[in-house]
Amino acid sequence: MSEKFYPQGTLCISSVTSNKEAGFSDYRYVACIAAQEFGFRVIRNPEDDGMTQEDFEYAMENENPVFILIVGEVSSDMVNAEFATAKSNCLPMFVFIKSVNRKISESTKKNMKELSEVTYDKCCSFFDTCEQLHSQVRERLRKYIQKKLETYPILQKGTDLAYIANKQLMKVARRQIIIYQNTSILLLGARSSVYENAFMAELMKWLRGMRDDIEFLHVFCMNETLEEIRNNAGSYNLQAAKENILELYRMYEEQGKANILNIRYSEKPNNVSYVITDTNLVFVIPVEDERYTIELPSYIMQVNQIEKIKDELYHKTKKLDRETLMKIYEGV
């Protein structure tokens, strides 16, 4: 007999509370029923499913599940420990907080901002009863699935979609942004395209306020970028690009965070330009003499595969130091 097919993949449910509140096994069960109605394979707390903690953690780290966390009265340490795996693996996370007559404890209030920041839709839901929880889980999963269907896949001729999509991705990235371009927009600046200029403005804004816990990696082809400067310098405002990137170098050096501005270069060009973030993958692929942009949700790619891509980039590229940067702009 063939294994059952789960169209929405795996969903893990856990809960955390510090005062042995009654009913949490019931809450996990209700959330399980709501998720199963959409076609998820649901794994609950080990004590509910008769599985080991190791099995539960393996599913969290290797099956790219959706993660539901049901919260009672908690301390920050308990919350941090519970969602650390979900956050580190960029899992879509939904938080539901148990309240009493819409009131929650002071300790839970202190954690709400951080909880909201790491959730898929940047909000937490409150419930008093099993019926309310079932309704809320259904509604938030419905919106999650609808959004997946709306964005899978997107294919368009040209590169305008790439700049439009990447501008939006900059705003929601929480863990990582990887940008590969044969010719670096950071070093050259934007051309006359309104989409390039909008993306460049968003990228500079993001880099000026980049958080310490986000990994930024920009890789470009040195030879292709230098050739673009030699042949098409008039298409760019190289002086403005130079001032912008030097401003970034100075800012991060003054803050003692020069390692965060991770700009690297290779000698060989790549046929495909791409951006990888927590939520999406954007590729620009050549087809004969044309280029097409394809945008896909990142859940189709396992975390360990993305880590392999990063390992390749780090091992086969060199970091752009200030001395090499200034040689690029000689005569500008």
Side-chain angles (χ1 to χ4, degrees):
M1 182 181 295
S2 61
E3 293 185 4
K4 183 175 179 180
F5 173 63
Y6 296 92
Q8 302 301 337
T10 300
L11 181 145
C12 291
I13 300 174
S14 190
S15 60
V16 57
T17 182
S18 59
N19 61 359
K20 304 295 183 182
E21 293 172 86
F24 270 71
S25 61
D26 292 338
Y27 300 144
R28 294 191 295 269
Y29 176 74
V30 164
C32 173
I33 294 299
Q36 287 176 337
E37 292 169 359
F38 286 106
F40 284 98
R41 169 180 173 255
V42 180
I43 300 174
R44 287 178 283 157
N45 267 35
E47 62 266 28
D48 293 333
D49 279 347
M51 64 192 307
T52 65
Q53 182 66 29
E54 289 76 16
D55 289 337
F56 187 83
E57 291 174 357
Y58 179 87
M60 287 283 288
E61 294 178 1
N62 295 280
E63 297 187 23
N64 302 298
V66 173
F67 181 51
I68 286 180
L69 178 62
I70 304 172
V71 178
E73 185 174 348
V74 294
S75 64
S76 59
D77 290 343
M78 294 175 67
V79 171
N80 290 336
E82 191 66 26
F83 66 54
T85 300
K87 184 178 178 181
S88 65
N89 287 284
C90 303
L91 302 181
M93 179 174 172
F94 298 90
V95 174
F96 300 87
I97 298 177
K98 175 68 173 68
S99 59
V100 178
N101 297 323
R102 302 292 295 175
K103 295 180 180 180
I104 59 175
S105 67
E106 290 300 320
S107 61
T108 302
K109 285 181 182 178
K110 293 177 181 178
N111 294 299
M112 277 193 56
K113 185 178 186 298
E114 187 173 4
L115 280 169
S116 297
E117 281 297 314
V118 298
T119 60
Y120 173 78
D121 44 8
K122 293 198 172 182
C123 72
C124 300
S125 297
F126 300 90
F127 70 94
D128 288 345
T129 66
C130 285
E131 290 77 10
Q132 290 175 352
L133 178 60
H134 181 272
S135 175
Q136 291 168 0
V137 171
R138 274 190 58 84
E139 180 61 13
R140 291 179 74 183
L141 289 180
R142 182 191 66 77
K143 291 180 178 179
Y144 166 72
I145 293 169
Q146 181 180 3
K147 186 172 182 180
K148 279 203 312 182
L149 294 174
E150 289 173 349
T151 59
Y152 178 78
I154 297 175
L155 178 65
Q156 182 174 303
K157 183 178 179 180
T159 59
D160 287 350
L161 173 62
Y163 290 112
I164 294 170
N166 293 335
K167 177 188 173 184
Q168 297 304 316
L169 295 180
M170 300 295 298
K171 297 178 180 179
V172 297
R174 302 172 191 170
R175 180 173 176 254
Q176 65 184 11
I177 292 181
I178 305 167
I179 301 174
Y180 179 90
Q181 296 174 302
N182 278 332
T183 55
S184 170
I185 194 170
L186 270 179
L187 271 65
L188 298 174
R191 290 168 291 196
S192 58
S193 164
V194 63
Y195 301 114
E196 279 193 41
N197 278 278
F199 171 63
M200 182 64 181
E202 188 65 37
L203 178 59
M204 289 301 299
K205 176 183 175 183
W206 189 87
L207 287 171
R208 289 182 179 115
M210 182 168 53
R211 301 199 318 265
D212 294 357
D213 59 343
I214 288 185
E215 180 180 13
F216 172 75
L217 174 58
H218 173 47
V219 181
F220 67 96
C221 175
M222 178 66 78
N223 292 333
E224 292 287 312
T225 299
L226 291 175
E227 185 175 351
E228 185 70 7
I229 292 174
R230 286 193 296 268
N231 297 334
N232 298 299
S235 299
Y236 304 91
N237 187 339
L238 293 174
Q239 184 61 42
K242 176 182 177 181
E243 292 172 0
N244 282 334
I245 198 166
L246 286 175
E247 174 206 337
L248 290 174
Y249 270 72
R250 283 193 297 270
M251 182 183 75
Y252 282 101
E253 287 169 358
E254 289 171 0
Q255 296 174 1
K257 300 177 180 179
N259 61 312
I260 295 178
L261 191 63
N262 203 358
I263 304 174
R264 308 180 70 87
Y265 64 92
S266 62
E267 303 296 341
K268 297 180 179 179
N270 193 336
N271 288 330
V272 177
S273 297
Y274 53 84
V275 172
I276 300 174
T277 72
D278 309 349
T279 59
N280 289 70
L281 315 169
V282 179
F283 299 94
V284 178
I285 55 177
V287 180
E288 296 299 330
D289 296 330
E290 303 290 347
R291 288 191 294 172
Y292 283 79
T293 298
I294 184 167
E295 179 186 5
L296 300 167
S298 61
Y299 67 79
I300 67 173
M301 195 170 187
Q302 293 185 351
V303 173
N304 61 355
Q305 293 172 332
I306 295 176
E307 292 300 319
K308 288 179 181 178
I309 290 175
K310 290 195 292 188
D311 286 344
E312 285 286 310
L313 291 174
Y314 279 114
H315 284 118
K316 296 182 179 180
T317 62
K318 300 177 182 177
K319 187 157 186 178
L320 181 67
D321 56 33
R322 184 186 283 268
E323 181 180 354
T324 305
L325 176 65
M326 295 310 298
K327 288 181 180 179
I328 295 173
Y329 289 118
E330 285 180 355
V332 175

